[in-house]
Amino acid sequence: MRKLIFPLLFLAPAALYAQQNFIIKGKVADPGPAAKIFLTYGQNDTQKIDSAALNNGSFAFSGTAKGFSKAVLVLDYKGAGFKNLNEKSQIDVLPIYIAEGTTNVQSADSLSRATVTGTKINEENQLLSRLLKPVNTKIVALNHEYESAAPEKKTSETFKQSLQSKYNSYVTEREAINKKFITEHPDSYMSLIAVQNMAGSEPDAAQLEPLFNLLSESLRNSPEAASLKAFLQASKGTSIGAEAMDFTQADVNGKPVKLSSFRGKYVLLDFWASWCGPCRQENPNVVKAYNTYKDKNFTVLGVSLDRENAKDAWLKAIATDKLTWTHVSDLKFWNNEAAMLYGVRSIPQNFLIDPNGKIIGKNLRGEELQSFLAKTLGK
């Protein structure tokens, strides 16, 4: 049985670190005698799950939490229990925030259609969600159009380019909505969330720093903005034309290897891991690039985000995928020091460095990598 996974994004970011004494009261259409309602939210890197009785659709939660936390209310119509929920379960879900004071959740029908009032962050969250709903609906429809297309249509470059063009226009529309919200609500925590969401896994400082600077000074200097500031700083350090930041990590035999020791060559700095499915899918493309250009002053330096107890898995993946270049890792998982230095928030991710140590390309995958290398090294 496949369980429903409530994403870890609901565990973070916890913000405004003062204690929040919260009450969540609600009323929805009577879901029936078997129904149960749950509240799940993140605290100290763990997921807390609370339950409450339903009385003709009314419910209440209360407690104390450290800082604002993303949370989810889950209405389980069949009373299966939170741990037993799966893709066939009849559930109703409402994302909210844990916040100081009383949050009121009211709906004449489903939980997901409820109006949330009483706490500033939840009211602003509802406002931003309402503004983004039309464009998000179009993006969902676009994904459905691709998923429901016939297999032969999915391989059509014309079809894919058409969808990509629409998607790009929707992203531009969404960014304009977020920017307008940030401009009009510079002191809102949801404006910080909007900037974080726009940053995604590969933040672009040139795009995001002006938006970040629209936030109020108190919000920019708050503890909850610290990680975003760090990622923006890392993004600056990895922009095209920047000098690649040096680091040293141990190779598969424990021997220290410096990135700068490859000066004089084109180097593809490749962040990956044995446990990363998309990385393993991309590896044949990196192998092709390496084998094509290894005699043209080109090499690859693989940096693995494997765990401390998974060195054997790392070595096995190197052998299985025939990755015959230099590999290093400190085996610290997402806390890999080189990955943190380069602001890596998702993998696979790579940076192409020229013989002078300058970054000339980033996040080159698939045919884009082959094409870029052909233009750069083909001669």
Side-chain angles (χ1 to χ4, degrees):
M1 176 176 66
R2 294 185 65 186
K3 298 290 183 70
L4 284 174
I5 303 298
F6 293 95
L8 288 180
L9 86 92
F10 290 121
L11 302 183
L16 300 181
Y17 295 101
Q19 289 292 105
Q20 309 286 319
N21 297 306
F22 68 89
I23 297 172
I24 300 171
K25 292 182 177 180
K27 178 75 170 72
V28 295
D30 188 0
K36 298 179 180 179
I37 191 163
F38 302 94
L39 173 69
T40 177
Y41 58 98
Q43 280 292 288
N44 301 320
D45 296 324
T46 61
Q47 186 179 31
K48 295 195 68 172
I49 302 169
D50 197 3
S51 61
L54 282 158
N55 183 11
N56 295 321
S58 296
F59 61 90
F61 292 93
S62 63
T64 300
K66 186 179 180 181
F68 287 154
S69 298
K70 283 189 174 182
V72 190
L73 284 168
V74 183
L75 184 54
D76 169 16
Y77 284 93
K78 294 183 178 180
F82 190 86
K83 292 183 179 180
N84 296 317
L85 297 177
N86 58 58
E87 292 176 338
K88 295 181 179 179
S89 299
Q90 185 184 0
I91 63 170
D92 197 2
V93 175
L94 178 69
I96 61 170
Y97 280 86
I98 299 293
E100 178 76 23
T102 300
T103 300
N104 297 298
V105 178
Q106 298 290 324
S107 176
D109 45 55
S110 67
L111 181 63
S112 61
R113 294 166 64 89
T115 299
V116 185
T117 59
T119 47
K120 184 173 182 284
I121 187 172
N122 280 299
E123 291 175 356
E124 290 174 340
N125 179 41
Q126 282 233 310
L127 172 59
L128 181 57
S129 297
R130 189 162 59 248
L131 293 171
L132 290 171
K133 184 176 181 180
V135 66
N136 286 340
T137 299
K138 288 188 283 189
I139 291 173
V140 170
L142 196 67
N143 287 333
H144 178 72
E145 182 180 350
Y146 176 77
E147 292 299 331
S148 59
E152 60 273 14
K153 192 172 184 180
K154 287 182 178 179
T155 63
S156 165
E157 286 302 318
T158 301
F159 176 65
K160 289 190 289 186
Q161 288 175 9
S162 173
L163 294 188
Q164 187 65 52
S165 177
K166 290 179 183 178
Y167 177 75
N168 291 343
S169 70
Y170 297 157
V171 168
T172 300
E173 182 180 347
R174 187 169 59 187
E175 289 176 351
I177 293 169
N178 277 316
K179 183 175 181 179
K180 186 172 186 293
F181 183 89
I182 294 165
T183 303
E184 295 176 352
H185 303 84
D187 202 37
S188 170
Y189 177 61
M190 291 312 303
S191 291
L192 175 60
I193 293 296
V195 179
Q196 289 176 331
N197 288 341
M198 291 174 71
S201 60
E202 299 168 3
D204 179 353
Q207 176 198 19
L208 293 169
E209 194 164 46
L211 294 176
F212 182 78
N213 289 336
L214 290 174
L215 301 174
S216 67
E217 183 178 1
S218 60
L219 195 54
R220 292 197 309 270
N221 294 324
S222 63
E224 57 273 17
S227 62
L228 180 58
K229 288 172 73 173
F231 279 122
L232 288 176
Q233 189 61 39
S235 179
K236 283 183 180 180
T238 59
S239 60
I240 301 300
E243 184 169 348
M245 296 171 284
D246 202 12
F247 63 87
T248 302
Q249 287 195 7
D251 68 10
V252 295
N253 297 312
K255 179 182 176 182
V257 174
K258 294 187 70 170
L259 172 62
S260 58
S261 68
F262 294 89
R263 191 66 60 89
K265 288 179 173 284
Y266 287 92
V267 182
L268 185 70
L269 179 60
D270 185 36
F271 292 91
W272 73 295
S274 67
W275 48 263
C276 168
C279 302
R280 305 294 294 274
Q281 292 172 15
E282 177 64 13
N283 276 345
N285 187 54
V286 183
V287 169
K288 178 182 176 182
Y290 178 73
N291 289 336
T292 301
Y293 297 105
K294 63 182 180 180
D295 295 327
K296 295 187 177 183
N297 207 35
F298 170 79
T299 191
V300 180
L301 176 62
V303 181
S304 169
L305 273 64
D306 275 281
R307 297 172 174 86
E308 183 179 7
N309 60 354
K311 184 174 181 179
D312 288 346
W314 173 39
L315 299 181
K316 182 179 179 182
I318 291 171
T320 300
D321 294 359
K322 298 180 173 60
L323 313 181
T324 56
W325 48 83
T326 302
H327 293 270
V328 299
S329 182
D330 58 14
L331 298 174
K332 292 182 179 179
F333 195 37
W334 285 108
N335 291 322
N336 180 289
E337 292 179 8
M340 295 177 71
L341 180 67
Y342 276 75
V344 174
R345 302 174 73 180
S346 68
I347 50 177
Q349 192 166 159
N350 62 43
F351 302 88
L352 183 61
I353 303 166
D354 75 5
N356 296 314
K358 303 290 186 181
I359 296 173
I360 59 172
K362 56 196 296 187
N363 301 318
L364 301 167
R365 293 190 277 274
E367 286 304 314
E368 186 181 8
L369 174 61
Q370 305 300 331
S371 175
F372 195 95
L373 289 175
K375 291 177 182 177
T376 306
L377 300 171
K379 297 180 181 179

